[in-house]
Amino acid sequence: MTTAALSQLTEAIKSGNRKQATALTSQAISAGTPAREILDAMVAAMDEVGRRFKCNEIFVPEMLIAARAMKEALALLEPVLVKAGIRPTHTAVIGTVQGDLHDIGKNLVAMMWKGANFNVIDLGSNVAPDKFVAAAREHQANVVGLSALLTTTMPAMKTTIDAIHAAGLNQIKVVIGGAPITQAFADEIGADGYAAEAASAVEVARKLVAA
């Protein structure tokens, strides 16, 4: 598949055109395009989506439809990646903390992390600290993402971080986020990173695993 065709795939994901994104991914696979090149075109799309979001050129709905296009295209590519022995370098566990049922922001971060080629284990919402610990240990996570939308559930973030440290998983980097969360709160409870929104979550996670 030509460079121009891969650029079309990037553009299809950026615009959230799921039909075109999956069709172009199928064509690239059929044409024998190296899986890494197809993946790179996808990741480039989500990087640009994240940049546009941070610059207020697009907003949450546009980011969501791009992430969904990426998700569907990546689902087609994943068996090819596995066959080629290409796996995500880093693993992230993510969930909304205990007592909090909100998941839209968490879902968006999960999709953006997957779009950045992280292996993402999504535990859902209302996740107890011990479940985060168990999942982080089982999947040998590099990053744990904690989300909260309610001020009343913010203390559960500290409880979870304390549980991770008590389990001896000090090598794992913890990123927190959600509407009421601030950098000051992240510092206060010992989180390694704070993300104001999904695009920042990708940057923060990349920096933490590279450190």
Side-chain angles (χ1 to χ4, degrees):
M1 198 174 191
T2 64
T3 303
L6 287 173
S7 295
Q8 287 180 337
L9 172 59
T10 299
E11 290 302 318
I13 292 172
K14 278 159 56 176
S15 64
N17 189 328
R18 287 185 278 176
K19 187 175 180 181
Q20 188 180 21
T22 52
L24 287 166
T25 301
S26 293
Q27 288 171 26
I29 293 168
S30 298
T33 307
R36 171 62 69 183
E37 291 183 17
I38 304 172
L39 179 64
D40 287 347
M42 293 180 177
V43 172
M46 293 311 295
D47 282 348
E48 177 62 11
V49 167
R51 186 199 66 77
R52 288 181 179 179
F53 182 81
K54 289 188 71 178
C55 295
N56 292 321
E57 293 174 15
I58 61 171
F59 301 96
V60 170
E62 292 91 343
M63 190 185 243
L64 273 171
I65 62 169
R68 285 173 184 154
M70 169 77 179
K71 185 178 180 181
E72 291 189 17
L74 188 58
L76 295 175
L77 184 63
E78 276 176 343
V80 186
L81 290 169
V82 171
K83 194 173 178 181
I86 300 170
R87 300 180 185 278
T89 311
H90 303 292
T91 295
V93 168
I94 192 169
T96 307
V97 294
Q98 191 165 33
D100 204 320
L101 298 173
H102 297 88
D103 65 358
I104 293 175
K106 181 268 300 174
N107 291 346
L108 189 50
V109 172
M111 284 193 282
M112 291 298 289
W113 276 352
K114 193 155 191 175
N117 198 32
F118 278 74
N119 175 35
V120 179
I121 312 300
D122 189 344
L123 302 180
S125 57
N126 190 25
V127 183
D130 61 329
K131 287 190 177 179
F132 278 110
V133 170
R137 183 177 281 128
E138 178 188 349
H139 298 283
Q140 298 183 314
N142 307 98
V143 177
V144 170
L146 308 179
S147 174
L149 190 69
L150 304 173
T151 54
T152 52
T153 58
M154 288 168 63
M157 288 183 155
K158 183 177 190 313
T159 306
T160 303
I161 290 173
D162 290 346
I164 290 169
H165 291 161
L169 302 175
N170 298 313
Q171 77 281 8
I172 294 173
K173 303 300 184 182
V174 180
V175 180
I176 68 171
I181 309 304
T182 62
Q183 181 65 60
F185 180 70
D187 295 339
E188 180 187 324
I189 66 171
D192 300 291
Y194 159 68
E197 22 70 12
S200 295
V202 173
E203 282 183 26
V204 171
R206 279 176 170 163
K207 283 179 182 174
L208 288 173
V209 297

